[in-house]
Amino acid sequence: MKNLNIILSSLTALLGLLVGIAPYTFAKVCKMASMHCHAVTAPTVLVFGIVIFVISAAQTILLWKKR
């Protein structure tokens, strides 16, 4: 069961990275700097992706050490 938790936590960290880079790579936002999608949404998604990655990576490390 612990191995499954480590695997799922690692996958969540990877998905956090993908969420963070999504607005800048494969799900591009509009190019106009004054638009809400470019000025607010893209940086917010980036921050949440980084937060998801950091929390999941920390959880993976803690689970790995407990193993």
Side-chain angles (χ1 to χ4, degrees), residues 13 15-21 44-54:
L15 289 174
L17 283 178
L18 290 175
V19 164
I21 64 169
T44 303
V45 170
L46 176 66
V47 168
F48 278 119
I50 292 171
V51 168
I52 291 169
F53 171 75
V54 168

Side-chain angles (χ1 to χ4, degrees), residues 1-9 64 67:
M1 189 65 166
K2 288 186 180 184
N3 288 337
L4 180 63
N5 287 337
I6 292 170
I7 292 169
L8 290 176
S9 182
W64 188 267
R67 200 174 129 211

Side-chain angles (χ1 to χ4, degrees), residues 10-27:
S10 300
L11 286 174
T12 305
L14 179 65
L15 289 174
L17 283 178
L18 290 175
V19 164
I21 64 169
Y24 302 103
T25 55
F26 55 86

Side-chain angles (χ1 to χ4, degrees), residues 21-65:
I21 64 169
Y24 302 103
T25 55
F26 55 86
K28 299 223 183 246
V29 294
C30 62
K31 303 274 187 207
M32 294 180 63
S34 62
M35 295 298 291
H36 182 76
C37 58
H38 184 79
V40 178
T41 305
T44 303
V45 170
L46 176 66
V47 168
F48 278 119
I50 292 171
V51 168
I52 291 169
F53 171 75
V54 168
I55 292 171
S56 297
Q59 182 181 4
T60 303
I61 292 168
L62 289 175
L63 288 171
W64 188 267
K65 286 185 177 183

